[in-house]
Amino acid sequence: DAGITQSPRYKITETGRQVTLMCHQTWSHSYMFWYRQDLGHGLRLIYYSAAADITDKGEVPDGYVVSRSKTENFPLTLESATRSQTSVYFCATRRPDRGRGSYNSPLHFGNGTRLTVT
Amino acid sequence: KQEVTQIPAALSVPEGENLVLNCSFTDSAIYNLQWFRQDPGKGLTSLLLIQSSQREQTSGRLNASLDKSSGRSTLYIAASQPGDSATYLCAVRRRGGADGLTFGKGTHLIIQP
């Protein structure tokens, strides 16, 4: 059961560089999410996707770009990395809601990517 | 804006004790509340999900309660073991607005052997 795979596990990049974090799932869950985790802030939602070609902003989307051409992949791109984007990034998935009153599928998380911007 | 607070931020207890972790949220318009466990360098593992219409959920030595009207949830861990040492996070799925969960900052739990 591979579940969710994030790559790379660790990444060091320089300010101004473009970097892409990968997320792949084997379950075909329709919903996928990107969170960042920082000391003092906890986990915050960056972007999410309800299905292929459907994406939406979360709480902290500035400086990030996402795409979802295939259900199983949800890459996160930092177009011009800044030091404030140093963080641990988590991808998560969720099965679709079953309908009215059934918004209760749990989230499943990957092991994260630790990104350092120098 | 939904805010989730967890108290205490850290807790250290001897093995075998029963303990309670607290979570509060400001907006009661939620679909559910989830408790997660996070081990160092790892992702989050879902422990329990309580639907807004439910009062509690149980899994093994874990019991989570939800009082939606007062904006509170507790995670009760019975007969704690050193393997329970981790950070415990609660999160709510709100109605309306962006999908996804709003997280608390977690309680860092250490069980002393």
Side-chain angles (χ1 to χ4, degrees):
Chain A
D1 184 350
I4 305 173
T5 304
Q6 291 187 239
S7 61
R9 286 282 281 136
Y10 304 93
K11 176 75 176 177
I12 300 174
T13 191
E14 295 177 342
T15 300
R17 299 256 187 178
Q18 182 181 83
V19 60
T20 296
L21 311 183
M22 304 301 294
C23 178
H24 175 80
Q25 57 145 331
T26 59
W27 294 313
S28 297
H29 288 173
S30 57
Y31 283 86
M32 297 188 76
F33 303 83
W34 275 107
Y35 287 87
R36 60 178 289 175
Q37 186 175 36
D38 304 287
L39 280 173
H41 288 283
L43 280 122
R44 292 178 291 175
L45 180 66
I46 305 171
Y47 268 98
Y48 66 101
S49 169
D53 297 322
I54 301 175
T55 62
D56 232 323
K57 295 179 180 179
E59 183 184 355
V60 288
D62 293 343
Y64 303 95
V65 174
V66 293
S67 61
R68 192 153 176 222
S69 57
K70 293 184 178 181
T71 299
E72 60 266 30
N73 296 323
F74 191 37
L76 176 74
T77 297
L78 288 67
E79 294 186 298
S80 178
T82 65
R83 290 198 180 93
S84 65
Q85 293 177 309
T86 292
S87 186
V88 181
Y89 291 85
F90 288 101
C91 178
T93 72
R94 193 184 74 217
R95 290 198 314 264
D97 298 320
R98 295 199 196 102
R100 179 177 272 178
S102 294
Y103 301 93
N104 291 304
S105 298
L107 249 64
H108 302 273
F109 280 81
N111 283 330
T113 293
R114 183 175 293 276
L115 175 68
T116 302
V117 182
T118 62
Chain B
K1 180 186 174 186
Q2 179 73 271
E3 293 183 2
V4 180
T5 303
Q6 291 188 246
I7 295 173
L11 182 63
S12 181
V13 301
E15 179 178 5
E17 282 201 7
N18 303 324
L19 55 99
V20 174
L21 307 182
N22 296 292
C23 173
S24 62
F25 49 95
T26 55
D27 187 347
S28 61
I30 62 170
Y31 288 122
N32 58 58
L33 183 145
Q34 274 187 260
W35 282 94
F36 293 88
R37 169 188 173 132
Q38 185 176 26
D39 294 286
K42 300 284 189 180
L44 281 69
T45 300
S46 180
L47 297 172
L48 291 164
L49 182 151
I50 311 176
Q51 300 177 31
S52 61
S53 59
Q54 296 176 328
R55 299 287 283 183
E56 66 179 291
Q57 281 285 329
T58 298
S59 176
R61 293 182 294 108
L62 304 180
N63 176 277
S65 68
L66 174 65
D67 184 342
K68 195 176 73 165
S69 60
S70 68
R72 296 186 181 188
S73 176
T74 61
L75 179 66
Y76 175 83
I77 303 176
S80 58
Q81 303 170 358
D84 294 330
S85 298
T87 296
Y88 290 80
L89 296 139
C90 76
V92 296
R93 184 176 176 190
R94 57 192 173 275
R95 295 179 182 266
D99 204 338
L101 301 178
T102 302
F103 282 85
K105 294 178 183 176
T107 293
H108 182 55
L109 177 64
I110 296 174
I111 306 299
Q112 306 154 11

